[in-house]
Amino acid sequence: MPKMISKPLLLTYFYLFIYILLSSGVILYNKWVLSPKYFNFPLPITLTMIHMGFSGLVAFLLVRVFKVVAPVKMTFEIYATCVIPISAFFASSLWFGNTAYLHISVAFIQMLKALMPVATFIMAVLCGTDKPRCDVFTNMLLVSVGVVISSYGEIHFNVVGTVYQVTGIFAEALRLVLTQVLLQKKGLTLNPITSLYYIAPCSFVFLFVPWLLLEKSAIEYSQFQFNFWIFFSNALCALALNFSIFLVIGRTGAVTIRVAGVLKDWILIALSTVIFPESIITRLNIIGYAIALCGVVMYNYIKVKDVRASQLPSESIPERISKDWKMEKKSSDIFIPGGTVSASDDVDEETPLTQSTRLSHIGRTQAGNYAA
């Protein structure tokens, strides 16, 4: 293999490895922190607020103090009509997704996340950004059947945890669709740093209300341990995941990221059963998830094919990726923060925004991983 080709390829694989490592690590770390059986800090809203506060602070320093990137021209009208509603659903998806980790296993949550393309497609149709299609509907039906089979085979099935997770998935799907509709309509472009700069503080404020009602008294009257280094390292890993996504989308295409996402899900399911022995996977779990995964892969193929068909015929895929990357460097493309970094991890929708194809799977991951 020529040297000039092998070095960039190895660097791409390295970035993918870092992304998979951080994405899986953040989810497992969050589960460990939240679980009453381990670190015993069963306060998901508080943990998510720590992530949002830390991310917002770092973004503020990078934008206002160190001037790494310049802030966008944000008007009050754009902030009120775009940033606030997107932040509200972002905060909701993280809240519900992280709460699910108190009731159900990491492995089962990853299986439920296969519903993400179903939720995104439904929300896109309802919001008028996509049209009902027979081929996509068939894939969505296959995914749903697989998830139902997987749920039926879950030994420790918990209705409350399942409802929290599914609700978080639909909240994340609506956030993604709103991001496409609202930000694209306003012509607003955000990179990972500026997106956190505007959205993280707003999400923190939205989470403050449920925290005040649900967790404030628990902190005051319960003896929960607070280890600074545990929470600092946890928030740092979540932030690192956010930036690793930025590196990955600049060097890979949609197919590569989607394959990496599928690989990460299987690795995470396997690791969770080793790290958390109480997490048991049955044969029916595997069969159901495999069926759902077939639907997800077919859906990804259709969406990638649609995007390629919409590109200029004179441009090859590598040329198109190179062009997108140059555009991103020049104008700061939209980056959709998702997963806290929910425990995370994870959207399979397509938007016409630059590089959104490559963000589609990662959006789902993030929502599930970033602050989970």
Coordinates of all heavy atoms in Angstrom, one line a residue, residues 8-9 12 18 27 59 61 92 109 165 218 222 261 269 286 289 305 312 320 365:
P8 N -2.9 8.3 6.1 CA -4.3 8.8 6.4 C -5.3 7.7 6.8 O -6.1 7.9 7.6 CB -4.7 9.5 5.1 CG -3.4 9.8 4.4 CD -2.5 8.6 4.7
L9 N -5.1 6.5 6.1 CA -6.1 5.5 6.4 C -5.9 5.0 7.9 O -6.9 4.8 8.6 CB -5.8 4.3 5.5 CG -6.8 3.1 5.6 CD1 -8.2 3.6 5.3 CD2 -6.4 2.0 4.6
T12 N -7.4 7.5 10.2 CA -8.8 7.4 10.2 C -9.3 6.2 11.1 O -10.2 6.4 11.9 CB -9.4 7.1 8.8 OG1 -9.0 8.2 8.0 CG2 -10.9 6.9 8.8
I18 N -10.8 5.6 18.7 CA -11.0 6.5 19.8 C -12.5 6.8 20.1 O -12.9 6.8 21.2 CB -10.2 7.8 19.6 CG1 -8.7 7.6 19.6 CG2 -10.6 8.9 20.6 CD1 -8.2 7.1 20.9
I27 N -20.7 5.4 28.3 CA -21.9 4.7 28.7 C -21.7 3.8 29.9 O -22.4 3.8 30.9 CB -22.4 3.9 27.5 CG1 -22.9 4.8 26.4 CG2 -23.6 3.0 28.0 CD1 -23.4 4.1 25.2
A59 N -16.7 25.3 26.8 CA -17.0 25.9 25.5 C -16.9 27.4 25.7 O -16.4 28.1 24.7 CB -18.4 25.6 25.1
L61 N -14.9 29.1 27.7 CA -13.4 29.4 27.7 C -12.8 29.4 26.3 O -12.0 30.2 26.0 CB -12.7 28.4 28.6 CG -13.0 28.5 30.1 CD1 -12.3 27.4 30.9 CD2 -12.7 29.9 30.7
S92 N -34.4 16.9 27.7 CA -35.4 15.8 28.0 C -34.8 14.5 27.6 O -35.0 13.5 28.3 CB -36.7 16.1 27.2 OG -37.2 17.3 27.6
I109 N -30.7 -1.6 26.9 CA -30.8 -0.2 26.4 C -30.3 -0.1 25.0 O -30.9 0.6 24.1 CB -30.2 0.8 27.4 CG1 -31.0 0.9 28.6 CG2 -29.9 2.1 26.7 CD1 -30.5 1.9 29.6
Q165 N -36.7 5.0 28.5 CA -35.7 4.9 27.4 C -36.4 5.2 26.1 O -35.9 6.0 25.3 CB -35.1 3.5 27.3 CG -34.1 3.3 26.2 CD -32.9 4.3 26.3 OE1 -32.4 4.6 27.4 NE2 -32.5 4.9 25.2
A218 N -33.3 14.8 47.7 CA -32.6 13.6 47.9 C -31.1 13.9 48.2 O -30.5 13.2 49.0 CB -32.7 12.8 46.6
S222 N -30.1 12.7 51.9 CA -29.5 11.3 51.7 C -27.9 11.5 51.7 O -27.4 12.5 51.4 CB -29.9 10.7 50.4 OG -31.3 10.6 50.4
G261 N -20.6 2.3 14.1 CA -21.7 2.4 15.2 C -22.3 1.0 15.5 O -22.5 0.7 16.6
I269 N -22.6 -4.2 24.1 CA -23.4 -5.3 24.7 C -22.6 -6.4 25.3 O -22.9 -6.8 26.4 CB -24.4 -5.8 23.6 CG1 -25.4 -4.8 23.2 CG2 -25.1 -7.1 24.1 CD1 -26.3 -5.2 22.0
I286 N -30.7 -11.9 21.6 CA -29.8 -11.8 20.5 C -30.6 -11.9 19.1 O -30.3 -11.2 18.2 CB -28.7 -12.9 20.6 CG1 -27.9 -12.7 21.8 CG2 -27.9 -12.9 19.3 CD1 -27.1 -11.4 21.8
Y289 N -32.5 -8.6 18.6 CA -31.6 -7.5 18.2 C -31.0 -7.7 16.8 O -30.9 -6.7 16.1 CB -30.5 -7.4 19.2 CG -29.6 -6.2 19.0 CD1 -30.1 -4.9 19.0 CD2 -28.3 -6.4 18.8 CE1 -29.3 -3.8 18.8 CE2 -27.4 -5.3 18.6 CZ -28.0 -4.0 18.6 OH -27.2 -2.9 18.4
K305 N -27.8 5.6 0.0 CA -28.0 5.6 -1.5 C -28.7 6.8 -1.9 O -28.4 7.4 -3.0 CB -28.8 4.3 -1.8 CG -28.9 4.1 -3.3 CD -29.6 2.8 -3.6 CE -31.0 2.7 -3.1 NZ -31.7 1.5 -3.5
L312 N -23.9 15.6 -7.0 CA -23.6 15.9 -8.4 C -22.9 14.7 -9.0 O -21.9 14.1 -8.4 CB -22.6 17.1 -8.5 CG -23.3 18.4 -8.0 CD1 -22.2 19.5 -8.1 CD2 -24.5 18.7 -8.8
R320 N -16.4 14.4 -2.8 CA -17.5 15.0 -2.1 C -17.2 15.2 -0.6 O -17.4 16.2 0.0 CB -18.8 14.2 -2.2 CG -20.0 14.8 -1.6 CD -20.4 16.1 -2.2 NE -21.6 16.7 -1.6 CZ -22.1 17.8 -1.9 NH1 -21.7 18.5 -2.9 NH2 -23.2 18.2 -1.3
T365 N -26.0 8.0 19.0 CA -25.0 7.5 20.0 C -24.9 8.6 21.0 O -24.8 8.3 22.2 CB -23.7 7.3 19.3 OG1 -23.8 6.4 18.3 CG2 -22.6 6.9 20.3

